[in-house]
Amino acid sequence: MRVTINGREYEFGEPMTVLDAARKVGIYIPTLCYHPRITQSGSCRMCLVEVEGQRLLQTSCTTYIRDGMKIWTHSERVKAAVKHNLELLRMIHPDDCQTCEANGRCELQDLLQRFGVERTMDYYGNSVKILDESSPAIRRDLGKCIKCFRCVKACEEIQDLSVYAMVKRGHYEYPATAFDAPVYSTVCVGCGQCSFVCPVGAITEKPDWRKVLELLENEDKVVIVQTAPATRVAIAEEFGAEPGTISTGKMVAALRKLGFDYVFDTNFGADLTIVEEGNEFVRRVNKGGPFPMFTSCCPAWINYAEKVFPWVTKHLSSARSPHMMLGAVIKTYFAEKIGKNPKDIMVVSIMPCTAKKDEISRDQLIIDDWKPVDYVLTTRELGKLIRLKGIPFMSLPEEDYDHPLGVSTGAAAIFGVTGGVMEAALRTAYEVITGETLPKVEFDEVRGLDGVRDATIKIGDKEVKIAVVHGLKNTEMLLKKMEKGEAFYHFVEVMACPGGCIGGGGQPKSLDPDVIKKRAGAIYEIDEMMKIRKSHENPAIKQLYKEFLKEPLGELSEKLLHTHYKDRSKEYANLWKYYEEGKVS
Amino acid sequence: MKIKVAADPKSVLEGSLEIANYFGYLSGVHHVQVDVERDANLGNCVGGILVDINGEKYKVRDKKEAAMLFVQGVILRKKVKDLAVKKVLPPEESRITPEVLIVKRNFGKYRDIDGYIFLGGYEALKKALKMKPEEIVEEVKNSGLRGRGGAGFPTGLKWESALKEKASEKFVVCNADEGEPGTFKDRMIIEEDPHALIEGIAISAYTVGANKGYIYIRGEYSDVAENLKRAMEEAYDRGFLGEDILGSGFDFELVLRFGGGSYIAGEETALLESIEGRAARSRFKPPYPTQKGLFGKPTVVNNVETLVKVPWIILNGAEEYRKYGTESSPGTKLFSICGKANKKVVVELPLGVTLREIVYAYGEGIYGEGELAMVQTGGKAGTFVSKEKLDVKLDFDAIKEGVSLGSGAITLIDDKSRFLDIALNVIEFFEHESCGKCVPCREGTFLVRKIISKMVEEGKVDCDALQEIERIVLIMKDSSLCGLGQSVHNPIISLIRMLERGEVA
């Protein structure tokens, strides 16, 4: 197809939108509601282009190229329309940039700057000024909402939860929860996909970074940080690097510069999880059930199971998530080593996830009277901390994690990607069950980014049916199939976010359509670079069991590393009460 | 006492019926018993309307003179020398387009399906089921029928593109959401001739290959919907709907859906969203509904009036239909006359009729004291047309002259209405009805309303603000997602032009 853009002819092979075509040849077209993770709504009218022969301006994100098409992306007519539409948005958007969580990472801010949009109209403010801080995971500040429909679509299309819907009309519309209930009391699982796609600061993670900043300035506590597998392949994006840039060493160095006393690796916790969860699975295989067993390291998935499919809670692995395990080990095993009480130690987790913020508030996870993890920061928040402290991230030297809880394997690294937990567990389970060495550590059946992947794996003389699913929409389909008896599995890995943790709601915002693929590639690269690629071979794990835990699923393990779940399906059932209480604005 | 008012076509087009009505109005105001007679043979005079009071001939140019004549000549029973006419011309023939009853063919003629069948109902369906879908498409294409909801898209082309789509399932949808203010033609059809609508929908479904259809009727029409429901039940009972219709092997299920009362639900893609159970917000096009419509399947959405014409065209042929109307806009159109009109009615006239005929011959001019100041055509989103343009021929091309046909609403506005009041009324409507999906319409309508409200508060028109408004609505036209935002400029700018010309204060 020959298409003329701004007077120059280009040749395109396959059908694509005008926006994609223009970007392919390096022509900038502004966007605001466009996001590659969701279907387009065509609502922001920023990507307008002039197409010869068309009476009106066309949105390039929804218009497909045709042979012989003549497109103008920067005509005066286009620029006038885009600038005017930005003026209209500025009319309702507050000038709170200085204290806004999205400052510097705000698509509206960028566009206003790009087009030099002064405040030419009176400021009328947004029609709603709801500030919803009910959830430990996300914060909604609807006064900043520009009504781009991204959160509505993300929740509907990725997670099929539809926590938000646009209510009212015209200037007065806003993305509301059912009956304007606080988001925490709805079916929301805290995955944070809405905060990931929000182009402005209307939905963000619940910010905890200020508290961590204060904590670091507080001398009398030992502050220990741990970093999740998926953060190391994404954090560099906050500083302009290509998605999938591995920056483990720089991140560790930056965390030390921030003032953390010890930098540990959640990957250690992941290895520990595999040993515990793998042994739990082996125990179930030997006892003959109950099947299926579901993984339990994704807190959004746990929330989903408890809220929407309560029968699943009986099948969830009792293993805590990796950072919880590591937090517990830090405050016991490691505390002993450095001669401290659990209460003198503060553990901060750097996570790609907003639901982890919700997870640490769970009562079931409190051990004695202390919490294994005190604060969770998202990758984005860590980026902000590093920026605010003026640390030159990209030019930092590479540093290593502290010992002994910074030692990890390739199996732990792949926790960050969908299928990774399954693969890591299979690597261990195979060797535990058969007692033989695994001939090939890669399980290609569970890799890839298809919504649901299933396979039958032969372990010794047993055939194990497994499934890997990511995104709650896919999960819902799979669970419904299982309910109907159309599918049976022994072991199911569920990750709530697309692509697993690498596509988590707390990861750096990105408009790169291939961001998940690139980050996943980096994760597998880390795995390949590792000398040890099976969790049970991690020397630090072996040492931990020898010195402290004694055996997997043992008494101390049960106390520190396992948990239980409850049916919360009734909790959000009665949203009507918010209407009756007159909380509806 | 008897007043005769000239009612020959020439006088009528000059507003004699308005004067006749005004005499009736005055007799009520003054409690005077008079007979007002419209006399087509009374004659004519130059530069005014000929009035006969007790054999005395007078000439009346406007309502002021008519009022004076009434007081002097009727109440005081004096001769009014100033208005007397010496030379009476013979009645003059000037053509007033007569009503053509295609849509209104059965109005008031039947109560139930037996009556409809007696009138020849469902014959078109029988004929259509024996035809190939391509033949029906060809016939409809030849007839030149264009959508009567306002946009005027050729119906035959729409059906053809849906027919060509390969899909497991297709739908037809009848748009009975008639939300355009001042339009009540579809309501009349549903009240008076629901079976013709059902027949039209069944034919359209057969043509495009749909086995399920929806009638999306606005929630406010729940009363007339009862009539429609009954008619649908009758049609199911007689086998005109349901499985294996008339032994042809064609199944068609028709379902009635109620709208929630938003204006934008009348826009076809928003309507589909609403049927799917979402809030009515427009989708972007393409893909067009004929490619990806209801539940992602090819869907044909047609207006009530369009569909009612189909059985007639099938029975009488495209040639016959083309005898009415103009080359580019064949056939008839229902006009609903409202506003300050003396007669608020639905009339069916061939396209190409002038606005003057509708306003003076069928609407009979302005009621009461006021004089005609302007006409808004095509509903709230249509243009304001000044008195000077009453001779424009109304068809789908009239928009080139600044007169939109739209849904066929003809709203008469008298000179008592002020610019700011009209402007505020218009923009408040759009601000309230903007669905909120796209930025230029969502915030633009709000901003324009704010500017006009400010002018209303201050009580004076600000020319700079008007320029700003013009800029906003023109960008809104250029960059909005759907027809709502794209047409706000129609009323606003035409109204501003009238203000500039001094035709409205």
Side-chain angles (χ1 to χ4, degrees):
Chain A
M1 276 180 283
R2 299 196 77 75
V3 177
T4 312
I5 307 179
N6 298 341
R8 262 185 71 179
E9 227 180 54
Y10 299 94
E11 179 81 40
F12 296 99
E14 63 224 54
M16 62 176 94
T17 62
V18 172
L19 179 68
D20 289 338
R23 289 198 168 162
K24 209 169 173 185
V25 297
I27 293 169
Y28 168 81
I29 293 179
T31 56
L32 194 52
C33 70
Y34 164 85
H35 200 285
R37 210 170 273 191
I38 50 178
T39 61
Q40 306 319 327
S41 63
S43 67
C44 73
R45 320 309 281 180
M46 295 298 151
C47 66
L48 294 170
V49 292
E50 209 174 329
V51 179
E52 278 181 29
Q54 296 277 351
R55 196 169 53 93
L56 303 172
L57 299 177
Q58 305 288 313
T59 43
S60 59
C61 69
T62 63
T63 308
Y64 279 78
I65 51 170
R66 294 183 305 273
D67 196 37
M69 207 177 192
K70 286 196 173 66
I71 302 161
W72 299 93
T73 62
H74 286 87
S75 65
E76 288 307 316
R77 188 173 153 208
V78 170
K79 275 196 276 188
V82 172
K83 191 167 177 184
H84 171 76
N85 290 338
L86 283 167
E87 278 174 338
L88 289 175
L89 284 179
R90 186 137 199 214
M91 178 181 86
I92 60 159
H93 195 77
D95 278 342
D96 286 348
C97 298
Q98 296 86 341
T99 50
C100 177
E101 288 304 317
N103 185 29
R105 295 291 181 274
C106 171
E107 291 176 44
L108 180 65
Q109 197 182 38
D110 290 350
L111 286 177
L112 294 177
Q113 172 121 58
R114 160 75 178 71
F115 287 89
V117 181
E118 301 290 342
R119 202 181 267 307
T120 48
M121 295 161 186
D122 292 343
Y123 169 61
Y124 291 107
N126 223 323
S127 54
V128 281
K129 299 204 167 46
I130 294 173
L131 179 63
D132 181 357
E133 296 191 295
S134 62
S135 165
I138 54 170
R139 185 172 87 154
R140 296 160 69 230
D141 183 358
L142 295 189
K144 290 172 184 159
C145 177
I146 55 163
K147 301 152 190 186
C148 66
F149 285 74
R150 277 191 194 173
C151 56
V152 176
K153 290 207 158 218
C155 202
E156 182 183 329
E157 291 172 8
I158 301 172
Q159 309 296 43
D160 201 18
L161 290 170
S162 292
V163 168
Y164 310 117
M166 279 288 180
V167 299
K168 300 197 180 176
R169 289 202 295 246
H171 170 75
Y172 305 93
E173 77 172 358
Y174 64 99
T177 56
F179 304 112
D180 270 344
V183 69
Y184 200 48
S185 39
T186 67
V187 70
C188 174
V189 298
C191 72
Q193 285 299 316
C194 51
S195 74
F196 175 82
V197 296
C198 183
V200 292
I203 304 181
T204 59
E205 64 276 292
K206 183 81 170 286
D208 288 318
W209 57 271
R210 245 184 229 105
K211 289 178 204 148
V212 172
L213 213 55
E214 277 164 28
L215 192 66
L216 289 169
E217 283 153 8
N218 187 347
E219 292 297 323
D220 43 291
K221 299 254 180 181
V222 178
V223 187
I224 299 178
V225 69
Q226 54 168 319
T227 63
T231 52
R232 63 205 67 190
V233 296
I235 179 73
E237 289 168 43
E238 283 285 307
F239 306 96
E242 173 76 7
T245 305
I246 302 168
S247 44
T248 322
K250 291 188 196 304
M251 181 174 67
V252 174
L255 288 167
R256 290 225 172 84
K257 278 211 181 310
L258 281 173
F260 288 103
D261 297 308
Y262 296 93
V263 184
F264 289 142
D265 196 351
T266 309
N267 287 17
F268 177 91
D271 279 331
L272 192 53
T273 303
I274 284 302
V275 173
E276 290 291 327
E277 199 169 322
N279 277 291
E280 186 187 352
F281 182 64
V282 171
R283 187 168 71 183
R284 288 199 196 190
V285 169
N286 293 336
K287 278 167 74 180
F291 291 119
M293 183 168 118
F294 291 94
T295 57
S296 63
C297 36
C298 174
W301 153 237
I302 298 296
N303 282 340
Y304 184 70
E306 289 186 333
K307 282 183 167 181
V308 185
F309 286 93
W311 63 268
V312 168
T313 53
K314 294 186 186 67
H315 294 265
L316 286 168
S317 161
S318 66
R320 297 181 173 207
S321 68
H323 84 125
M324 280 295 172
M325 287 200 178
L326 184 58
V329 171
I330 288 170
K331 290 198 176 183
T332 52
Y333 173 68
F334 186 72
E336 234 169 70
K337 285 201 169 208
I338 57 170
K340 292 274 181 193
N341 275 325
K343 285 186 182 164
D344 297 332
I345 296 175
M346 297 299 265
V347 175
V348 178
S349 301
I350 311 293
M351 295 282 140
C353 180
T354 53
K356 294 277 183 199
K357 287 173 182 276
D358 174 36
E359 185 188 21
I360 58 170
S361 66
R362 286 172 72 92
D363 291 340
Q364 298 103 303
L365 297 177
I366 294 173
I367 300 167
D368 295 335
D369 55 350
W370 46 269
K371 285 164 113 185
V373 174
D374 300 281
Y375 293 108
V376 168
L377 297 186
T378 61
T379 317
R380 289 197 294 268
E381 284 176 287
L382 175 62
K384 189 185 312 236
L385 272 186
I386 295 173
R387 273 202 309 282
L388 288 177
K389 283 271 189 171
I391 298 168
F393 184 87
M394 294 312 281
S395 54
L396 287 177
E398 310 255 325
E399 288 181 20
D400 270 339
Y401 284 103
D402 287 306
H403 277 274
L405 305 182
V407 180
S408 67
T409 69
I414 55 173
F415 256 61
V417 60
T418 171
V421 179
M422 178 61 71
E423 188 171 340
L426 288 175
R427 288 178 191 176
T428 294
Y430 184 91
E431 300 202 348
V432 172
I433 292 174
T434 62
E436 296 164 13
T437 310
L438 194 60
K440 179 171 177 271
V441 289
E442 290 92 356
F443 285 82
D444 290 326
E445 303 91 322
V446 299
R447 293 194 176 187
L449 290 172
D450 293 339
V452 182
R453 305 182 293 286
D454 54 2
T456 307
I457 308 280
K458 236 176 134 59
I459 300 181
D461 57 348
K462 288 194 172 67
E463 283 201 339
V464 180
K465 283 168 146 348
I466 55 145
V468 172
V469 58
H470 62 129
L472 293 177
K473 188 173 195 171
N474 300 325
T475 309
E476 186 187 11
M477 287 195 303
L478 187 75
L479 288 176
K480 284 199 170 147
K481 252 170 122 181
M482 290 165 82
E483 274 178 349
K484 282 190 214 148
E486 289 168 13
F488 171 79
Y489 301 103
H490 292 101
F491 194 14
V492 183
E493 180 208 296
V494 184
M495 291 287 171
C497 289
C501 306
I502 50 169
Q507 290 283 58
K509 293 182 184 182
S510 175
L511 287 175
D512 185 341
D514 295 326
V515 66
I516 290 175
K517 227 188 270 170
K518 288 175 182 169
R519 289 176 187 162
I523 289 271
Y524 285 121
E525 204 181 316
I526 294 175
D527 173 33
E528 273 165 35
M529 287 188 307
M530 289 289 194
K531 281 194 207 81
I532 310 170
R533 297 178 70 184
K534 296 164 204 159
S535 298
H536 57 285
E537 290 176 1
N538 184 338
I541 294 277
K542 284 182 181 166
Q543 196 187 352
L544 175 70
Y545 276 104
K546 206 171 121 201
E547 290 179 10
F548 186 66
L549 289 172
K550 306 305 175 209
E551 54 169 343
L553 307 176
E555 197 185 328
L556 199 53
S557 294
E558 286 293 340
K559 182 185 170 193
L560 297 180
L561 309 181
H562 289 266
T563 183
H564 59 274
Y565 311 99
K566 61 181 180 191
D567 178 353
R568 287 197 282 153
S569 59
K570 301 283 182 295
E571 272 178 30
Y572 75 95
N574 184 19
L575 295 179
W576 183 247
K577 71 179 181 207
Y578 293 99
Y579 182 79
E580 285 169 345
E581 281 170 18
K583 282 190 181 171
V584 175
S585 62
Chain B
M1 182 75 81
K2 195 172 217 175
I3 306 178
K4 287 183 187 172
V5 180
D8 58 312
K10 181 175 173 281
S11 303
V12 165
L13 291 179
E14 281 168 7
S16 72
L17 298 184
E18 181 175 335
I19 297 295
N21 276 305
Y22 186 53
F23 282 128
Y25 170 83
L26 287 173
S27 73
V29 170
H30 294 286
H31 304 289
V32 182
Q33 188 71 40
V34 283
D35 281 342
V36 181
E37 191 183 304
R38 300 160 182 202
D39 189 345
N41 300 318
L42 190 62
N44 222 317
C45 62
V46 180
I49 287 154
L50 189 67
V51 177
D52 174 308
I53 299 174
N54 288 348
E56 296 287 337
K57 301 280 192 291
Y58 297 105
K59 180 175 80 175
V60 174
R61 273 177 305 203
D62 55 23
K63 282 187 177 166
K64 243 184 229 157
E65 287 185 355
M68 192 176 91
L69 181 65
F70 191 84
V71 173
Q72 303 266 330
V74 178
I75 300 176
L76 304 176
R77 300 186 180 232
K78 289 200 285 192
K79 286 188 178 173
V80 189
K81 276 188 189 153
D82 294 351
L83 299 177
V85 176
K86 289 178 191 102
K87 198 180 171 200
V88 176
L89 304 169
E92 203 170 310
E93 274 312 310
S94 164
R95 221 179 102 74
I96 293 179
T97 317
E99 270 205 86
V100 179
L101 302 183
I102 293 179
V103 173
K104 286 172 82 175
R105 60 189 181 270
N106 295 329
F107 276 28
K109 288 190 188 161
Y110 71 84
R111 301 192 76 83
D112 58 13
I113 193 164
D114 290 322
Y116 183 65
I117 292 171
F118 177 76
L119 290 168
Y122 290 110
E123 287 302 320
L125 180 62
K126 283 177 197 162
K127 186 176 171 191
L129 289 174
K130 289 188 191 111
M131 292 163 78
K132 279 196 197 123
E134 289 79 8
E135 289 169 1
I136 302 175
V137 166
E138 207 51 38
E139 192 70 35
V140 175
K141 263 166 84 177
N142 288 340
S143 75
L145 178 61
R146 292 171 71 171
R148 293 297 195 253
F153 189 82
T155 309
L157 287 182
K158 195 185 263 187
W159 289 13
E160 190 176 37
S161 70
L163 175 61
K164 280 182 181 160
E165 288 289 323
K166 301 253 178 301
S168 58
E169 208 176 359
K170 292 180 190 174
F171 295 102
V172 289
V173 175
C174 168
N175 183 348
D177 190 66
E178 204 171 39
E180 196 65 63
T183 314
F184 39 94
K185 62 185 180 69
D186 295 346
R187 183 189 170 99
M188 291 293 289
I189 293 170
I190 294 167
E191 267 178 9
E192 300 284 340
D193 198 1
H195 280 292
L197 176 60
I198 294 169
E199 191 177 1
I201 297 172
I203 293 172
S204 78
Y206 170 74
T207 308
V208 303
N211 296 110
K212 186 155 185 183
Y214 293 86
I215 299 177
Y216 186 88
I217 189 167
R218 65 185 306 203
E220 292 89 332
Y221 281 3
S222 55
D223 49 347
V224 289
E226 288 304 318
N227 194 30
L228 188 57
K229 252 188 222 164
R230 209 191 61 226
M232 281 165 64
E233 278 163 21
E234 287 172 346
Y236 269 113
D237 284 348
R238 300 296 176 93
F240 296 117
L241 290 175
E243 283 174 13
D244 192 15
I245 293 171
L246 302 171
S248 63
F250 168 61
D251 305 335
F252 181 57
E253 186 193 352
L254 187 59
V255 180
L256 191 62
R257 282 289 164 90
F258 284 91
S262 104
Y263 171 70
I264 192 62
E267 198 274 340
E268 56 177 357
T269 56
L271 184 151
L272 298 178
E273 287 276 300
S274 180
I275 293 180
E276 287 183 14
R278 297 156 186 274
R281 288 196 177 88
S282 310
R283 302 171 181 171
F284 54 79
K285 294 189 261 189
Y288 295 96
T290 48
Q291 304 162 314
K292 264 181 93 177
L294 193 60
F295 303 110
K297 303 284 189 234
T299 305
V300 166
V301 185
N302 282 128
N303 180 260
V304 170
E305 189 190 338
T306 318
L307 288 166
V308 170
K309 290 203 166 102
V310 169
W312 192 93
I313 292 171
I314 296 293
L315 283 180
N316 297 284
E319 281 305 302
E320 192 64 25
Y321 186 73
R322 272 194 176 275
K323 282 185 185 159
Y324 306 102
T326 63
E327 183 57 35
S328 66
S329 317
T332 61
K333 172 91 192 80
L334 291 186
F335 293 97
S336 26
I337 307 170
C338 62
K340 279 284 168 69
N342 272 311
K343 262 176 91 180
K344 292 166 186 164
V345 287
V346 173
V347 291
E348 183 172 13
L349 295 167
L351 285 166
V353 65
T354 63
L355 202 48
R356 182 179 299 281
E357 292 171 72
I358 298 175
V359 170
Y360 286 117
Y362 293 99
E364 300 190 356
I366 293 284
Y367 171 79
E369 306 279 348
E371 298 279 350
L372 180 76
M374 62 182 112
V375 181
Q376 191 180 20
T377 60
K380 214 65 161 187
T383 49
F384 288 95
V385 180
S386 75
K387 262 193 329 201
E388 316 303 315
K389 276 196 179 166
L390 284 183
D391 290 314
V392 169
K393 284 190 185 326
L394 275 176
D395 59 14
F396 288 106
D397 294 331
I399 189 68
K400 288 174 194 155
E401 311 242 4
V403 180
S404 54
L405 181 62
S407 63
I410 306 290
T411 313
L412 273 53
I413 297 162
D414 68 7
D415 57 359
K416 303 254 185 295
S417 310
R418 298 273 160 247
F419 168 80
L420 283 178
D421 299 334
I422 303 172
L424 187 64
N425 177 294
V426 166
I427 199 63
E428 271 182 343
F429 175 78
F430 284 114
E431 186 205 11
H432 185 247
E433 297 297 349
S434 166
C435 80
K437 188 162 179 179
C438 70
V439 174
C441 173
R442 182 216 312 154
E443 305 303 343
T445 51
F446 168 79
L447 179 61
V448 173
R449 203 269 299 160
K450 278 277 180 191
I451 297 173
I452 293 178
S453 290
K454 202 174 151 205
M455 284 196 275
V456 170
E457 269 166 38
E458 288 168 357
K460 62 170 196 280
V461 175
D462 173 356
C463 290
D464 291 342
L466 287 185
Q467 269 188 1
E468 176 70 3
I469 289 173
E470 227 174 276
R471 189 181 74 90
I472 297 168
V473 294
L474 280 177
I475 293 183
M476 204 188 297
K477 168 199 167 198
D478 215 7
S479 61
S480 287
L481 190 144
C482 80
L484 194 153
Q486 287 165 7
S487 53
V488 174
H489 73 283
N490 277 334
I492 295 288
I493 290 192
S494 58
L495 192 61
I496 293 177
R497 290 288 167 277
M498 293 189 66
L499 180 77
E500 285 166 358
R501 289 196 299 263
E503 288 164 347
V504 59

